[in-house]
Amino acid sequence: MKIGLYIKEELSETDIATYIISKINEHEFDFDNDNPDFVIFVGGDGTFLRAVNEYLDQINDIFFIGINEGTLGFYSGYVIDELDEALTAIEEENYDVVSHHLIEGIAADQIIYAVNEIRVENPFHTLISKVYVDDEYLETFRGNGLTVCTSNGSSAYNKSLGGAVISYKLQTLQLTEIAPINNRVYRSLNSPIVISKEESFVLEGHFSEAVIGYDYSTTSIDTDSITIRLSDKVVNLVEKSGFKYVKKIHDAFVK
Ligand code: NAP
Ligand code: MN
């Protein structure tokens, strides 16, 4: 079994990597960052999102296992004191795996992938975007921007926008509005809308000066149309055996 390690930048000067690699060897695994079966990520959700991006081309074949260090760590199943427990769980195959589909955005021959959400925002002028579900017209949105999130991403930016938190057991796409104008002249749905994994959102507008955000990254694409759908790429996340989803939500947001 080959185990890779992805550590958040702020921790790269510490001896945490040396400690974890010594533990990997102690448990008689091979340390291998190039073709790992498991990737241990150390940090929080931002670290997880970056680790996924690092391994995009082999993503379906990898199991990610999170050691939370210092941040929210919604995607992290363990803390550093539980490193032995985590490695033993791998040895004994005693863990749960939750497979999350990535979301993909297709625009002008480019394809972008995200774990949480893809956003279209215009920081200069009102963003004007037609919104379709597949080929059916929903609305013409006017406001600051739109986000489309996965179920597992629903507790991130989407939640701050008043979107619903959706169980990872449902595969969905949720569209939420960022500061819609909504007056007598301009009208959009003005509430989140959730669609199934077989459907996609199609956004049409002049997006050349819009910012396309995906997880922690942004880009700009000179395009008039973006199709956003669930991807065939999945990220396999290791959770403690018998982990409880509602407790995870409680601990992250209510506690
Ligand atoms: P960040 O600014 O550190 O992320 C904001 C917070 O969201 C952090 O506490 C992060 O956890 C948490 N988070 C990330 N994914 C989550 C999830 N699926 N469920 C619950 N919480 C989650 O930036 P980052 O760490 O690079 O993460 C990028 C993400 O930040 C984007 O995908 C977007 O969803 C989110 N974001 C949120 C807002 C907002 O709420 N207004 C604005 C911009 C971006 P950690 O502390 O463990 O990293
Ligand atoms: Mn973060």
Side-chain angles (χ1 to χ4, degrees):
M1 201 75 80
K2 292 171 289 182
I3 301 191
L5 188 57
Y6 191 94
I7 294 191
K8 89 165 160 190
E9 216 180 316
E10 292 90 315
L11 296 173
S12 60
E13 303 290 296
T14 69
D15 49 15
I16 197 158
T18 321
Y19 170 69
I20 294 175
I21 293 168
S22 75
K23 283 287 181 187
I24 289 172
N25 292 329
E26 202 178 288
H27 282 257
E28 298 183 358
F29 294 117
D30 298 322
F31 174 61
D32 183 344
N33 271 341
D34 296 326
N35 282 297
D37 301 299
F38 285 82
V39 169
I40 297 178
F41 62 93
V42 187
D45 298 323
T47 311
F48 173 60
L49 303 176
R50 286 161 180 81
V52 168
N53 189 60
E54 185 77 16
Y55 287 100
L56 260 187
D57 52 350
Q58 42 183 320
I59 196 76
N60 290 34
D61 302 323
I62 294 176
F63 293 87
F64 286 85
I65 181 161
I67 304 282
N68 189 34
E69 256 305 306
T71 54
L72 180 69
F74 188 75
Y75 287 110
S76 302
Y78 297 86
V79 295
I80 192 73
D81 290 345
E82 298 169 328
L83 181 60
D84 272 313
E85 184 188 329
L87 291 165
T88 305
I90 297 176
E91 270 161 6
E92 297 176 351
E93 293 180 41
N94 178 29
Y95 49 78
D96 288 350
V97 175
V98 177
S99 297
H100 302 290
H101 280 264
L102 301 188
I103 190 171
E104 60 187 31
I106 301 150
D109 298 341
Q110 281 195 52
I111 180 155
I112 52 176
Y113 296 96
V115 174
N116 283 339
E117 80 286 294
I118 293 177
R119 313 176 290 276
V120 181
E121 297 180 69
N122 191 332
F124 307 106
H125 303 286
T126 304
L127 177 82
I128 304 173
S129 174
K130 290 185 177 167
V131 178
Y132 297 81
V133 176
D134 294 333
D135 53 5
E136 274 193 279
Y137 175 73
L138 173 69
E139 64 185 11
T140 299
F141 169 86
R142 287 177 176 80
N144 281 38
L146 293 165
T147 83
V148 181
C149 72
T150 57
S151 298
N152 49 290
S154 65
S155 48
Y157 197 172
N158 172 75
K159 183 175 179 299
S160 306
L161 296 169
V165 174
I166 301 212
S167 166
Y168 71 92
K169 292 175 187 172
L170 285 175
Q171 288 173 14
T172 64
L173 290 177
Q174 180 170 189
L175 177 91
T176 42
E177 304 182 349
I178 308 171
I181 292 179
N182 276 319
N183 56 24
R184 203 147 43 79
V185 188
Y186 302 132
R187 184 81 44 218
S188 55
L189 185 63
N190 202 17
S191 79
I193 176 169
V194 177
I195 61 173
S196 76
K197 65 177 193 299
E198 284 81 24
E199 297 166 302
S200 52
F201 285 111
V202 179
L203 310 180
E204 281 182 11
H206 300 298
F207 298 140
S208 55
E209 63 172 21
V211 174
I212 315 285
Y214 52 112
D215 289 347
Y216 58 90
S217 293
T218 55
T219 185
S220 59
I221 304 177
D222 191 359
T223 183
D224 291 337
S225 172
I226 302 172
T227 297
I228 301 173
R229 62 183 189 204
L230 279 187
S231 173
D232 290 336
K233 288 185 186 291
V234 292
V235 52
N236 306 299
L237 187 64
V238 171
E239 298 278 4
K240 275 183 191 163
S241 176
F243 95 104
K244 295 272 196 268
Y245 171 69
V246 174
K247 181 174 190 307
K248 204 177 177 75
I249 299 288
H250 173 90
D251 289 351
F253 296 106
V254 185
K255 210 169 195 171

